[in-house]
Amino acid sequence: DYYCSETFAFMIWITLLLSVAIGAGAAWIVPTDSKTFKYLLSFSGAFLFATLLTHMLPEIFEHGNWNMGWWIMLGFAIQLLLDHLSEGLEHGHFHSKQSKIPWLAISGLLLHAFLEGMPLSSTGSSGHNHATGGFLWAIALHKLPIALLVTGALRKSGVRLATLLGILGLFAFATPLGALVVNRVDVEQWSLQLLAIAVGILLHVSTTILFESSQNHRFNAVKLIFVLAGMLLAGWINSGMML
């Protein structure tokens, strides 16, 4: 059991750190105001949304835990409050003045990343460890375009490289740190509630990405393909994991 828990922890850290590193590196290739970035954001939002619908919500309610709906709403409300701090960083918005870092927005993003990592420390009620499931990959895909956005925007603002790397490091470690803290505190009896809160947070983020990434709430053909691809891929991955 100890070996398995250490393996799961290693998978969490490596997967999430790599997603931020890849996203940050892509900022030198993909402009944040390009269609490519919007398509990537749409794909990640669709994958996240479909993972919540096909894997996480069924797990939460599979044993008739209907009161979990309140915890999901709590997570949704928490993200509404975080939006006032982060100014929409979690779903692809970044507002920064020249040579000025929006520390309040960065703080909101870090808190969001910490909270979404909490369920990764536990095994769900169905026996699936979230460190090996679609939930981990959904978060990783969600973090990738956000890391690209933060890196690209801060580079345009003229932020020093050391400061930029420090911010990216905090963002990269925030999510696995959430899993680590929950694991150390040992709140296994609250694992389903923590999952429900995280699902509420990510429901807000994913739906906002899907609606705000389209002009006048309309999808063009290419963006629709990316959204459908994200949903179908998540559905395929999670259907195999639910067997």
Side-chain angles (χ1 to χ4, degrees):
D1 290 341
Y2 176 79
Y3 174 78
C4 290
S5 64
E6 290 297 310
T7 301
F8 290 142
F10 180 77
M11 289 182 61
I12 292 172
W13 286 79
I14 292 299
T15 302
L16 296 178
L17 295 182
L18 279 177
S19 70
V20 173
I22 293 171
W28 273 263
I29 303 173
V30 180
T32 55
D33 56 353
S34 67
K35 289 184 178 180
T36 301
F37 172 74
K38 293 180 180 179
Y39 295 151
L40 177 61
L41 187 65
S42 297
F43 178 86
S44 68
F47 188 96
L48 178 59
F49 181 67
T51 297
L52 298 175
L53 292 183
T54 61
H55 186 52
M56 310 318 299
L57 284 173
E59 179 177 322
I60 289 173
F61 292 112
E62 68 178 336
H63 296 304
N65 303 300
W66 304 118
N67 63 323
M68 288 296 107
W70 292 98
W71 293 93
I72 294 173
M73 286 194 292
L74 175 60
F76 199 93
I78 288 173
Q79 185 56 45
L80 285 174
L81 295 175
L82 288 177
D83 267 5
H84 288 284
L85 295 177
S86 65
E87 300 177 6
L89 261 176
E90 302 91 334
H91 39 80
H93 293 168
F94 194 98
H95 308 284
S96 178
K97 297 180 180 179
Q98 187 72 17
S99 301
K100 185 176 181 180
I101 302 173
W103 287 111
L104 190 62
I106 296 296
S107 299
L109 177 65
L110 295 178
L111 182 55
H112 162 86
F114 179 86
L115 293 174
E116 72 183 4
M118 293 188 302
L120 289 172
S121 66
S122 62
T123 299
S125 57
S126 60
H128 297 287
N129 191 295
H130 300 137
T132 62
F135 188 62
L136 174 62
W137 297 111
I139 292 179
L141 280 176
H142 167 52
K143 291 176 78 70
L144 195 152
I146 305 306
L148 192 161
L149 174 67
V150 172
T151 303
L154 290 180
R155 285 183 65 230
K156 286 183 180 179
S157 298
V159 173
R160 292 186 308 159
L161 181 60
T163 304
L164 172 58
L165 292 176
I167 292 173
L168 288 173
L170 290 173
F171 178 54
F173 281 98
T175 301
L177 184 62
L180 180 64
V181 169
V182 170
N183 187 54
R184 289 292 184 266
V185 174
D186 189 19
V187 289
E188 185 65 27
Q189 67 273 21
W190 292 96
S191 61
L192 202 58
Q193 287 84 350
L194 292 176
L195 178 61
I197 290 173
V199 166
I201 289 173
L202 294 172
L203 270 176
H204 180 287
V205 170
S206 60
T207 52
T208 303
I209 288 174
L210 290 176
F211 284 109
E212 290 193 353
S213 63
S214 56
Q215 189 174 7
N216 297 323
H217 304 294
R218 293 183 179 179
F219 290 98
N220 61 44
V222 178
K223 187 170 295 184
L224 181 60
I225 291 173
F226 274 87
V227 169
L228 291 176
M231 288 184 170
L232 290 174
L233 179 60
W236 176 71
I237 290 175
N238 290 298
S239 63
M241 290 173 179
M242 292 297 286
L243 295 178

